[in-house]
């Protein structure tokens, strides 16, 4: 069942975080739905601009509709990840999305407000909620690369002003994470001090953590042992998901970790079976492994086991 992102946020706020997982194809969708149903967790499906272009945006929508029929117990929202203004309007018009993200974080503060406000007005007219971003994460996201030196944490005072002026429904804050597999050099913590200050200025307001993959060392080691060359990778400490959730982080975005599962499964499969050329056997292994991965992430986010409560609160 597709619900609104706002409904999920209202139920989860301050208690646990909802996993927001990117999908690009049917195998990811199967693993995601299965993992969330098995762990009894509400979830958010994220579709990036790149995912919409990979096959066709209608293909992804059809996959999600089909998955929703195959898994009638699933409760989820559909969200545009890192949209530009034009893509936001396209998604708002389509009627399929529960929420959109307008990412104008690379623009100056005032311009970010201007663009975000336009999208908020268009989205709210259709009952769709809007995630905006303030501050700048490092790393690569689609066509934009932010060097570490240019990444900057969200300023709490600006966050308050930004939310008041734009009317956005949730805010992606830069609290030390970055996109991709190369987040930190050595173990590092989230900037809980910044989070606390943002929460004090915006009590009850849902915050979003991008770049939340943990980049498990064992996963990277297995990939490298099977012919990969992923070096110096380090992600978010999964033990910090729940403390962040208690400080208002209600949506935790995870994409890279899922890609690592895919890469590990396929590299190991073809290394061990060099004569194989059918994509279905490794595809099946991937769906099973992704199912397990999603379920364990939901446990760490605190969203596992929440489905019955979510369903009963949605009825009220
Ligand atoms: O933040 C970006 C997400 O990981 C989506 O990645 O734009 O390559 O689909 P993508
Ligand atoms: P990761 O690259 O850490 O998975 O972050 C994904 C993300 O923020 C999607 O918007
Ligand atoms: Zn992101």
């Amino acid at each position: 069942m597709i619900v609104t992102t706002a409904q999920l946020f209202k139920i989860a706020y301050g208690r646990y975080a909802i996993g927001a997982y990117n999908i690009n194809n049917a195998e990811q969708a199967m693993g995601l739905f299965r993992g969330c149903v098995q762990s009894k967790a509400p979830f958010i499906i994220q579709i990036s601009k790149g995912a919409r272009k990979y096959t066709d945006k209608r293909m992804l929508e059809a996959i999600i509709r089909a998955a929703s029929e195959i898994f009638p117990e699933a409760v989820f929202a559909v969200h545009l990840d890192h949209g530009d203004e034009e893509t936001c309007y396209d998604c708002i018009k389509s009627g399929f999305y529960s929420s959109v993200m307008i990412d104008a974080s690379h623009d100056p503060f005032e311009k970010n407000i201007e663009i975000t406000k336009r999208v908020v007005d268009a989205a709210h007219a259709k009952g769709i909620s809007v995630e905006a971003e303030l501050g700048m994460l490092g790393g690569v996201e689609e066509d934009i690369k932010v060097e570490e030196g240019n990444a900057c944490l969200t300023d709490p005072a600006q966050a308050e002003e930004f939310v008041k002026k734009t009317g956005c429904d949730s805010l992606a804050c830069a609290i030390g994470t970055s996109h991709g597999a190369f987040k930190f050099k050595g173990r590092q913590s989230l900037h809980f001090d910044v989070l606390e200050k943002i929460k004090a200025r915006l009590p009850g307001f849902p915050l979003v953590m991008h770049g939340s993959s943990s980049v498990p060392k064992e996963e990277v080691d297995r990939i490298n042992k099977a012919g990969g060359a992923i070096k110096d990778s380090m992600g978010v400490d999964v033990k910090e998901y729940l403390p962040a959730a208690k400080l208002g982080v209600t949506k935790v975005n995870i994409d890279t970790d899922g890609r690592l599962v895919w890469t590990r499964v396929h590299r190991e499969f073809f290394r061990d079976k060099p004569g194989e050329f059918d994509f279905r056997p490794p595809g099946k292994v991937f769906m099973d492994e992704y199912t397990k991965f999603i379920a364990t992430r939901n446990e760490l986010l605190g969203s596992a086991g929440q489905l019955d409560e979510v369903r009963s609160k949605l009825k009220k």
Side-chain angles (χ1 to χ4, degrees), residues 139-193:
V140 186
E141 60 190 60
E142 205 154 335
D143 38 7
I144 298 170
K145 179 169 181 358
V146 180
E147 299 298 340
E148 282 315 310
N150 294 331
C152 61
L153 301 184
T154 303
D155 177 283
Q158 274 198 342
E160 185 182 1
E161 184 186 345
F162 185 88
V163 168
K164 285 209 173 106
K165 286 190 169 162
T166 61
C168 66
D169 305 279
S170 60
L171 187 67
C173 300
I175 50 170
T177 65
S178 58
H179 290 105
F182 312 102
K183 300 186 196 300
F184 308 124
K185 290 189 181 70
R187 190 45 73 195
Q188 222 170 293
S189 178
L190 300 175
H191 287 263
F192 285 106
D193 51 333

Side-chain angles (χ1 to χ4, degrees), residues 205-224:
F205 188 80
L207 307 175
V208 178
M209 182 161 79
H210 282 246
S212 311
S213 280
S214 65
V215 194
K217 186 176 173 336
E218 33 328 331
E219 200 75 282
V220 174
D221 286 348
R222 283 175 72 174
I223 290 171
N224 288 345

Side-chain angles (χ1 to χ4, degrees), residues 8-67:
L8 295 182
F9 282 175
K10 197 164 164 225
I11 297 168
Y13 182 87
R15 298 164 56 215
Y16 59 89
I18 314 271
Y21 303 102
N22 291 66
I23 68 159
N24 295 268
N25 61 23
E27 289 82 355
Q28 276 184 309
M30 285 302 284
L32 175 57
F33 276 76
R34 244 192 238 151
C36 288
V37 166
Q38 279 180 14
S39 60
K40 293 185 179 299
F43 61 106
I44 296 172
I45 297 181
Q46 305 216 104
I47 304 179
S48 70
K49 280 186 289 166
R52 282 160 59 88
K53 277 187 236 138
Y54 173 54
T55 48
D56 186 293
K57 60 187 178 185
R58 290 164 298 184
M59 184 70 83
L60 269 184
E61 291 178 13
I63 287 171
I64 293 168
R65 282 201 185 92

Side-chain angles (χ1 to χ4, degrees), residues 239-269:
K239 290 195 206 78
E240 296 194 336
Y241 288 160
L242 255 186
K246 311 271 176 201
L247 288 171
V249 172
T250 318
K251 174 170 174 278
V252 165
N253 288 11
I254 297 175
D255 184 14
T256 296
D257 281 350
R259 296 178 185 199
L260 292 173
V261 174
W262 188 96
T263 305
R264 182 254 299 168
V265 165
H266 288 83
R267 279 200 178 277
E268 288 185 346
F269 184 88

